[in-house]
Amino acid sequence: MSGASTQAIVVGGGLAGVAAAVAVAQAGLETVHLAPVGPPDRRTSALMMPSVDYLQSAELIGAPEELGHALSQIRIIDATHRLIRAPETLFDASDAGIAAFGWNFANAPLLECFHACAARYGNLAVQTVGATNVVRDGTDWVVTLGDGRTVRAPLLVGADGKKSLVRSAAGLRASERSFNQSALVCDLDLTRPIGSTSIEFHYPRGPFTLVPAGGNRANLVWIDDATVLAEAQAGGTEHLLAIFEERSQRLFGKMSLASPSHVFPLGVLSVDRAGADGVVLTGESAHAFPPIGAQGLNLGLRDVADLARSLAEVGSSRGDWAVAVSQDYAKRRAADLARTGGMVDTLFRSLLADMLPAQALRAGGLWALKLTPALRKQAFSLGMGIR
Ligand SMILES: Cc1cc2nc3c(=O)[nH]c(=O)nc-3n(C[C@H](O)[C@H](O)[C@H](O)COP(=O)(O)OP(=O)(O)OC[C@H]3O[C@@H](n4cnc5c(N)ncnc54)[C@H](O)[C@@H]3O)c2cc1C
């Protein structure tokens, strides 16, 4: 098979893909990045301090305050009418001896900032065309592009989302499950300030979370049954706002929509291994879960940070370097992927659990966190992905 030849190909132009392409280029490899232009990403991402530190050290962003909004408190309100309810809990970053848990960014400007960083690397060639086929040929992966050309390289990075073509071509097994719940997101202007506190109202079918987005603006992430969200949207703007005000217990006064609302279907996806045979999977090609505890992109950026470590550790001088990178990467990622996936799954199940023992465990857990500083510190580390 002929076609252009390079050292690494990165497939997927989402946040994980551009960050991965930059990491590979920073390792000095000739890199082709397949990043078709998609619809604008309407989501926002609460990124914990270790992720923000990584983005800064990789020069993907400058000072976070140029782009995002600090998150210094997390308030949890149990809004269920269950028999056993959790206490209202306020987590303050100062309890962990830090100024903020993290920063909240709108994905679209964050992606633009990543692109500006990528443009600084002469060894990184961006093609705005997708991959349509991926096959192994000797020690190379050969990728066919949407315009019929082919490109080959020993290292192939999948950052092509949940339905990853790279993952299936490499035979990396994924388990998937979809939920009845979806997430509705939009920007809201509030009449009372939210400060730098992210506030989660826990309802029986999922949390209703307002995340500070500067001034009196908040990003809403409302998880509920897909049918409930569809009905809410169908009722028109005033109906939607009335629901939002009621769900937020009128703590923020009158609300107005600062963006259209969008709904994202939810599910979980996990892989047995995140790399093999010269292929590595990053971001949602390797893991996806509901947006609770702000874990998705944080985990995706930890993938990229580990990819950078594997590239630095293995180098590219030995004959089988790309296979060795993928093996090293899979080993590095195994524990974090299992731990984070397990944590989000447990959290999501406990939020939805109708059974008394589960309610008691969750309420008891929050009481323990509220009352025990040492436990709270451990929970901060786990939630922030500190290793
Ligand atoms: C409502 C919601 C709120 C969230 N909030 C947070 C949060 O607060 N904090 C957090 O850490 N995470 C959050 N997440 C998760 C986070 O948004 C995702 O983990 C992250 O955006 C995934 O990035 P990605 O690049 O892996 O995938 P994607 O953004 O899905 O990008 C995949 C890319 O691959 C491209 N692609 C697909 N197939 C091909 C192909 N064949 N060839 C070339 N390109 C291809 C697609 O066009 C796309 O651009 C949230 C998720 C949702 C749904």
Side-chain angles (χ1 to χ4, degrees):
M1 265 187 221
S2 60
S5 180
T6 187
Q7 288 180 295
I9 303 168
V10 179
V11 183
L15 288 162
V18 186
V22 166
V24 178
Q26 283 172 341
L29 299 176
E30 285 300 323
T31 308
V32 170
H33 183 198
L34 303 180
V37 182
D41 189 339
R42 309 272 181 195
R43 293 169 292 185
T44 54
S45 298
L47 295 183
M48 299 302 152
M49 279 324 292
S51 300
V52 176
D53 292 343
Y54 173 73
L55 294 183
Q56 281 193 280
S57 68
E59 297 180 355
L60 283 155
I61 63 166
E65 55 269 30
E66 289 167 9
L67 205 61
H69 307 283
L71 302 172
S72 53
Q73 293 185 322
I74 298 169
R75 188 173 166 195
I76 297 177
I77 296 175
D78 189 339
T80 64
H81 295 288
R82 287 171 176 155
L83 211 51
I84 304 173
R85 294 172 57 199
E88 180 171 331
T89 315
L90 181 73
F91 297 106
D92 197 311
S94 61
D95 291 350
I98 49 178
F101 290 116
W103 291 76
N104 184 33
F105 299 97
N107 286 12
L110 188 62
L111 187 65
E112 264 177 47
C113 200
F114 285 15
H115 279 303
C117 171
R120 295 198 286 269
Y121 291 89
N123 57 334
L124 174 54
V126 181
Q127 308 263 338
T128 53
V129 61
T132 55
N133 193 36
V134 174
V135 290
R136 189 82 166 138
D137 182 32
T139 55
D140 278 348
W141 287 97
V142 180
V143 179
T144 306
L145 315 192
D147 57 13
R149 288 175 297 149
T150 58
V151 58
R152 59 191 306 142
L155 182 66
L156 178 61
V157 179
D160 49 345
K162 287 181 203 167
K163 298 196 167 79
S164 173
L165 170 68
V166 172
R167 185 182 66 228
S168 39
L172 291 164
R173 222 173 59 85
S175 324
E176 264 185 277
R177 187 159 48 93
S178 46
F179 294 132
N180 294 331
Q181 282 90 352
S182 292
L184 180 147
V185 302
C186 65
D187 299 340
L188 292 172
D189 284 331
L190 317 172
T191 41
R192 291 194 204 120
I194 186 164
S196 57
T197 305
S198 176
I199 178 158
E200 296 180 15
F201 300 87
H202 288 181
Y203 284 95
R205 304 305 297 158
F208 180 96
T209 305
L210 291 168
V211 190
N216 277 13
R217 183 157 293 182
N219 303 130
L220 168 67
V221 182
W222 172 22
I223 298 179
D224 210 316
D225 286 345
T227 48
V228 172
L229 299 180
E231 275 169 26
Q233 273 188 317
T237 304
E238 290 313 313
H239 175 66
L240 204 52
L241 288 170
I243 296 175
F244 294 165
E245 286 166 14
E246 190 233 307
R247 295 233 153 200
S248 56
Q249 302 184 349
R250 303 187 199 285
L251 289 180
F252 300 101
K254 274 224 101 31
M255 295 176 165
S256 54
L257 275 178
S259 77
S261 60
H262 292 272
V263 170
F264 294 85
L266 299 181
V268 284
L269 181 148
S270 60
V271 287
D272 296 341
R273 278 176 70 77
D277 299 329
V279 168
V280 307
L281 300 177
T282 60
E284 288 201 336
S285 68
H287 47 76
F289 28 71
I292 51 168
Q295 294 295 323
L297 184 59
N298 283 287
L299 189 59
L301 293 173
R302 297 208 290 280
D303 295 340
V304 175
D306 268 343
L307 174 57
R309 288 187 190 101
S310 294
L311 290 165
E313 175 78 22
V314 176
S316 57
S317 51
R318 51 193 264 200
D320 65 344
W321 66 271
V323 172
V325 164
S326 65
Q327 286 167 347
D328 185 86
Y329 175 81
K331 212 160 125 201
R332 280 178 199 273
R333 295 309 297 141
D336 190 18
L337 294 188
R339 185 175 50 234
T340 308
M343 177 178 80
V344 178
D345 200 35
T346 310
L347 207 61
F348 197 55
R349 282 172 198 268
S350 83
L351 286 176
L352 303 187
D354 284 326
M355 290 171 314
L356 275 182
Q359 288 171 26
L361 265 178
R362 186 176 149 268
L366 277 170
W367 272 112
L369 287 178
K370 194 178 159 85
L371 300 174
T372 324
L375 263 185
R376 218 165 37 234
K377 240 179 174 165
Q378 268 184 17
F380 289 159
S381 300
L382 191 64
M384 291 172 73
I386 294 170
R387 290 181 277 180

